[in-house]
Amino acid sequence: MALSLKRSAERSARRKSAPFRSAMSMLTFYENRAGHNLPDSRRRVLKQAKDELRKLFHREPKPKAPGRARTPSKQARS
């Protein structure tokens, strides 16, 4: 997934920023569009793809943040 995004971002003539930022934005957009409906398994895959993108672009890995508890959806709280 990361290699495909890298290739796409580098070949794009429409991007407005560096290929790394463009590829990372694509992943973030997908993740944000899904919101709370995104299964944890898919969220892990996207996180791994982001880590792989950082390696492909020779960027520093993101420091590990403490885990955050997900809040229940509005329907579950009612």
Side-chain angles (χ1 to χ4, degrees):
M1 183 186 298
L3 193 56
S4 175
L5 280 171
K6 180 181 186 217
R7 191 178 321 115
S8 175
E10 288 176 335
R11 291 180 181 177
S12 175
R14 296 185 60 173
R15 69 179 148 76
K16 297 177 182 172
S17 63
F20 172 73
R21 285 187 61 187
S22 179
M24 196 62 78
S25 291
M26 289 181 216
L27 280 175
T28 303
F29 177 78
Y30 179 81
E31 189 174 12
N32 289 341
R33 282 294 285 175
H36 287 289
N37 296 326
L38 190 65
D40 287 337
S41 59
R42 193 65 176 156
R43 196 175 302 276
R44 276 192 301 273
V45 169
L46 292 175
K47 184 179 180 302
Q48 290 171 348
K50 286 181 180 182
D51 290 341
E52 186 63 29
L53 262 179
R54 289 185 187 98
K55 289 177 188 174
L56 290 171
F57 280 100
H58 308 290
R59 300 287 179 116
E60 290 292 319
K62 188 174 180 182
K64 300 285 183 191
R68 218 171 78 176
R70 290 179 54 189
T71 57
S73 67
K74 289 180 181 179
Q75 291 177 347
R77 285 186 257 161
S78 298

